[in-house]
Amino acid sequence: MNALFSLVSALIAVAALVAVSWFGVGAIGLDSVFGVIIPYIALAIFIIGVVYRIVDWARVPVPFRIPTTCGQGKSLPWIKADNLDCPYNTWGVIGRMFLEVFLFRSLFRNSKAELREGPKAAYASAKWLWLFGILFHYSFLIIVLRHLRFFMEPIPSFVEAITSVDGFFQIMVPTVFISDLLFLGAVTLLFLRRVGLPQVRYISLPADYFALFLILGIGISGVLMRNFFKVDLLGVKSLAISLFTLHPAPPPGIHPIFYVHLFLVSVLIAYFPFSKLMHAGGVFLSPTRNLANVNRSERYVNPWNYPVKVHTYEEYENDYREKMKECGIPVDKE
Amino acid sequence: MYNAGKIIIGIVIFLALITAPFWYNFGKASTPPKLEIGTQEKQCVESKAFMQSSHMVLLDQWRDEVLRVGKRIYVNSAGKQYNMSLQNTCTKCHSSKTKFCDRCHTYLNVAPNCWDCHIAPKEQEKQAGRSDK
């Protein structure tokens, strides 16, 4: 697929979503559609979809033990084994999964290959994907946790603590959060990496750009309504609490930019189970990561093996003992 | 389903995290705080809608103009003049910090740093101060 087509089609899709919600609320006044009905449907699709995908994956048998190995496996006692890169027990697997999920260790190993004059192949470490990825994921996590101030009443103290650290520099009024800046910066850099590196651009599909633009749209609309459009927060929280207490009541007069933000979030979570965003659940179900490399020390039975009827040598000899003796073939039992 | 035990534990953790706000707010009535304005004036410096969403921007602008430019007079959108002062203009009407400012700020976890320098108006009733505890 043409790279430009992928980019432009995804951009048009996200722009259309923004326009639909902006005019849907601003011009037609569909507050309760965008404030109540769509968020509820999106949340239902998200929950059912994610559970379905996980169960669907869990129903697939893993015929072989196929961990990726990146270090010395357990062998002779005097050879030092690397339990994190080539796990030989459950603790190794847990450690490896922990580092993968929380520190994105496999991205840290990312490398780039270049063909130099000669021709010579040159390999070098490429940490940008890891850096932008980890900045993006952790700032997103902090932003989601900060949003709990709208979802919970009374507000839990850990949310207050995170918010106060995040707004530590007290720049501008209302305070600009460090995580907002990191988030927008990281998403932009991930986008620039995707369009800047020819190889990555070549393999990028509309789905890759769509998720990026959608998330960027959520971030931009969020910052816009906090620092530029000035949304009435009392109304926003009373809507959020009314949704979470199952007594939905959208208050009148919330600025349409809020509904753009909410609609983009609704689209994101509804799209989640159908897309590459499911890597959030998929990382836990990767047989290349969640299995220990114990192929030699423990037998792995293919789950779809049916019981094979075997005919042992003992039985064979019992069948043909007399004939074997006649021919002079040695037998185990006389 | 393979590894059913581990898969189910994972799904239960996922559901618990996602639905946490529903359980946390379960059975509570959604009542946004009511503010006690406590004034005879009918009209604030700007319109109610503007003040509700953007009072912090106005106050920030006032602070900058007074402290950095030395300008004390604010002309609102209707042409009326006000003295730019939190302690002399705002709190003349909004005389209770705990019943006006704090109710929304607590509800929304906003911690403005106005009172790092300014002195909050004295509460009329002694109980108001105690309600924080």
Side-chain angles (χ1 to χ4, degrees):
Chain A
M1 204 174 286
N2 186 317
L4 191 66
F5 172 81
S6 300
L7 196 157
V8 172
S9 59
L11 192 61
I12 291 173
V14 174
L17 293 172
V18 172
V20 162
S21 47
W22 179 271
F23 292 110
V25 174
I28 313 175
L30 298 170
D31 292 39
S32 57
V33 174
F34 285 97
V36 178
I37 297 171
I38 290 173
Y40 272 148
I41 292 174
L43 189 61
I45 294 174
F46 175 67
I47 291 173
I48 296 168
V50 168
V51 172
Y52 176 81
R53 285 296 297 269
I54 297 285
V55 172
D56 198 36
W57 278 330
R59 283 152 52 90
V60 178
V62 178
F64 310 109
R65 194 192 286 281
I66 50 166
T68 45
T69 59
C70 316
Q72 174 63 50
K74 191 170 168 61
S75 116
L76 297 167
W78 43 271
I79 297 176
K80 199 181 166 206
D82 189 340
N83 203 9
L84 287 176
D85 279 327
C86 193
Y88 52 80
N89 58 27
T90 309
W91 286 112
V93 171
I94 291 172
R96 188 191 204 195
M97 285 299 290
F98 179 87
L99 293 173
E100 183 61 38
V101 170
F102 288 92
L103 298 176
F104 308 171
R105 202 144 172 266
S106 62
L107 292 188
F108 198 72
R109 243 191 275 277
N110 186 31
S111 62
K112 64 177 174 194
E114 271 177 12
L115 212 53
R116 297 263 173 89
E117 271 182 62
K120 266 192 225 164
Y123 299 92
S125 137
K127 302 266 185 270
W128 295 115
L129 179 62
W130 173 81
L131 181 69
F132 303 156
I134 205 157
L135 281 177
F136 165 71
H137 281 84
Y138 274 102
S139 53
F140 205 164
L141 174 68
I142 288 169
I143 290 170
V144 168
L145 290 177
R146 270 204 285 102
H147 275 69
L148 292 177
R149 76 182 171 124
F150 297 113
F151 304 163
M152 292 177 160
E153 181 56 35
I155 298 164
S157 55
F158 77 91
V159 176
E160 291 175 4
I162 289 172
T163 311
S164 109
V165 172
D166 201 357
F168 178 77
F169 289 115
Q170 301 192 340
I171 302 163
M172 287 171 52
V173 173
T175 309
V176 173
F177 288 118
I178 303 165
S179 56
D180 283 354
L181 297 178
L182 290 178
F183 179 78
L184 291 179
V187 181
T188 308
L189 290 168
L190 284 172
F191 168 72
L192 291 178
R193 176 186 169 273
R194 192 171 277 289
V195 290
L197 297 182
Q199 298 96 321
V200 183
R201 184 171 64 228
Y202 186 73
I203 59 166
S204 294
L205 296 173
D208 297 314
Y209 290 111
F210 181 69
L212 266 178
F213 288 146
L214 196 58
I215 288 168
L216 195 58
I218 290 168
I220 291 173
S221 61
V223 170
L224 280 181
M225 80 173 145
R226 179 174 169 82
N227 294 87
F228 296 93
F229 285 95
K230 310 306 307 164
V231 171
D232 176 20
L233 286 188
L234 195 60
V236 170
K237 179 153 183 179
S238 72
L239 170 65
I241 292 287
S242 78
L243 290 177
F244 283 116
T245 49
L246 303 176
H247 293 100
I254 304 182
H255 195 282
I257 189 73
F258 165 72
Y259 288 101
V260 171
H261 186 71
L262 184 60
F263 184 59
L264 292 182
V265 172
S266 302
V267 171
L268 181 74
I269 64 170
Y271 173 66
F272 196 96
F274 306 99
S275 66
K276 66 176 201 165
L277 303 172
M278 267 308 288
H279 69 271
V283 67
F284 295 99
L285 278 86
S286 305
T288 53
R289 312 244 158 238
N290 66 16
L291 289 170
N293 183 29
V294 285
N295 289 315
R296 295 184 185 185
S297 57
E298 285 172 33
R299 180 157 186 245
Y300 186 84
V301 180
N302 181 350
W304 73 59
N305 276 358
Y306 52 89
V308 178
K309 192 172 183 306
V310 288
H311 193 230
T312 61
Y313 179 72
E314 204 178 357
E315 289 163 348
Y316 170 87
E317 204 181 271
N318 289 341
D319 292 348
Y320 297 107
R321 183 166 292 113
E322 296 312 313
K323 288 184 171 115
M324 288 168 81
K325 278 186 189 168
E326 278 173 23
C327 298
I329 298 173
V331 287
D332 286 357
K333 270 192 232 162
E334 284 302 324
Chain B
M1 194 159 71
Y2 299 96
N3 299 310
K6 287 174 194 162
I7 294 288
I8 289 168
I9 291 172
I11 289 177
V12 167
I13 292 173
F14 164 73
L15 290 177
L17 287 175
I18 291 300
T19 57
F22 286 100
W23 303 117
Y24 191 84
N25 295 315
F26 187 74
K28 290 176 199 163
S30 77
T31 46
K34 294 270 185 299
L35 305 187
E36 286 179 28
I37 297 166
T39 175
Q40 312 80 11
E41 292 276 336
K42 289 273 185 278
Q43 179 63 48
C44 196
V45 182
E46 294 285 355
S47 72
K48 189 186 168 195
F50 176 83
M51 294 310 291
Q52 222 166 27
S53 61
S54 311
H55 59 276
M56 70 301 281
V57 177
L58 185 83
L59 289 171
D60 192 40
Q61 182 196 337
W62 280 20
R63 182 199 60 185
D64 289 355
E65 294 206 347
V66 170
L67 284 172
R68 296 177 191 170
V69 186
K71 194 181 149 202
R72 271 273 173 200
I73 302 298
Y74 177 74
V75 183
N76 78 356
S77 50
K80 204 176 165 193
Q81 293 194 340
Y82 290 93
N83 182 19
M84 287 197 235
S85 169
L86 178 70
Q87 275 173 248
N88 295 327
T89 306
C90 302
T91 58
K92 199 171 72 186
C93 298
H94 307 294
S95 53
S96 174
K97 176 174 170 281
T98 48
K99 288 179 187 167
F100 187 74
C101 309
D102 290 352
R103 285 203 177 155
C104 265
H105 291 162
T106 309
Y107 185 64
L108 290 160
N109 184 29
V110 181
N113 50 10
C114 309
W115 313 107
D116 290 2
C117 308
H118 289 282
I119 297 161
K122 267 187 190 160
E123 300 290 335
Q124 303 263 304
E125 300 159 56
K126 284 271 158 72
Q127 289 170 334
R130 225 176 281 155
S131 69
D132 290 357
K133 286 175 189 170

